Amino acid sequence: MLLIRQLCLERYFQPVFQPLSFELSAGELMVVTGPNGSGKTTLIRLLAGLLDPTEGSVNNSAQSFQYVGHTSAVKADLSVVENLQFSARLYGSNANVESAITTMSLDECAEQTGRTLSAGQRKRTALARLLLSKADLWLLDEPYTNLDTDGIALVDRLLDQHLSGGGAAVIATHGAHRPASASDDASWQIREISLGHLEQAA
């Protein structure tokens, strides 16, 4: 689904991280860890096509992918419902917005505008787009940030459902929050890249 070969980006003639190569298949989760400034966000943005690499290539064979960045990109003047309706139209999706709102526990703030939401509610709204896009590949930058314990568990459930259904995902996290490990009988696998040590682990 995703094939990376010697991927590198330079800033001021210095590489952000050493060239990376890996392959991601259906039912696999790649966790990108490392301290702030190690290049996690840069890597996710490269995979999403938002940045052009200095060297190497990204071959994305997924039917579709969904990027959720570190910032929520929730429009301040639109309500939660309106934000998600806009996203659904953008994706050409007939997904049930009300169902996504309920799944993400946003019912109580569904009519609030983006500017009145808490950081956790904005994050949940951003992640609700995953349920609307029906994308095969998820690219998530710090999906656990600003979430409470229930929100963190919700992200883990969303990942489990997505990966068990044949999807794939790459998520960046600084390490304070990590995906719940797959159970012994799970149909998906976790792999990891640590940019802080510039090493790869499968």
Side-chain angles (χ1 to χ4, degrees), residues 5-187:
R5 287 289 178 261
Q6 295 298 306
L7 188 66
C8 183
L9 183 137
E10 293 183 357
R11 290 201 177 106
Y12 305 107
F13 306 104
Q14 295 294 325
V16 177
F17 46 75
Q18 290 182 359
L20 291 172
S21 296
F22 65 87
E23 185 172 358
L24 192 70
S25 301
E28 290 187 331
L29 168 65
M30 182 67 78
V31 180
V32 183
T33 63
N36 290 337
S38 61
K40 301 186 302 296
T41 292
T42 296
L43 176 58
I44 295 292
R45 290 174 65 84
L46 282 166
L47 300 182
L50 299 175
L51 295 174
D52 293 324
T54 305
E55 297 179 5
S57 63
V58 177
N59 183 357
N60 183 350
S61 63
Q63 293 291 322
S64 59
F65 73 90
Q66 179 64 39
Y67 164 76
V68 178
H70 184 53
T71 56
S72 65
V74 172
K75 296 185 180 300
D77 294 325
L78 298 182
S79 69
V80 171
V81 172
E82 291 167 336
N83 267 281
L84 296 179
Q85 287 174 338
F86 175 82
S87 295
R89 289 194 297 270
L90 186 65
Y91 305 145
S93 169
N94 60 359
N96 190 322
V97 170
E98 288 74 19
S99 176
I101 287 172
T102 297
T103 298
M104 301 305 297
S105 300
L106 290 166
D107 297 275
E108 292 185 359
C109 62
E111 300 301 330
Q112 290 181 220
T113 59
R115 70 176 72 257
T116 67
L117 300 175
S118 69
Q121 289 168 335
R122 286 194 296 272
K123 175 65 78 172
R124 286 174 183 253
T125 302
L127 292 169
R129 298 184 183 119
L130 298 170
L131 301 173
L132 302 177
S133 69
K134 307 296 185 181
D136 299 316
L137 174 64
W138 291 358
L139 303 173
L140 312 180
D141 189 8
E142 301 288 359
Y144 296 102
T145 300
N146 297 323
L147 293 177
D148 57 14
T149 301
D150 289 341
I152 290 169
L154 176 56
V155 172
D156 285 342
R157 288 198 298 273
L158 292 179
L159 284 169
D160 179 62
Q161 292 169 5
H162 176 64
L163 296 164
S164 296
V170 181
I171 72 169
T173 177
H174 56 71
H177 299 300
R178 303 170 63 87
S181 299
S183 60
D184 292 339
D185 60 350
S187 59

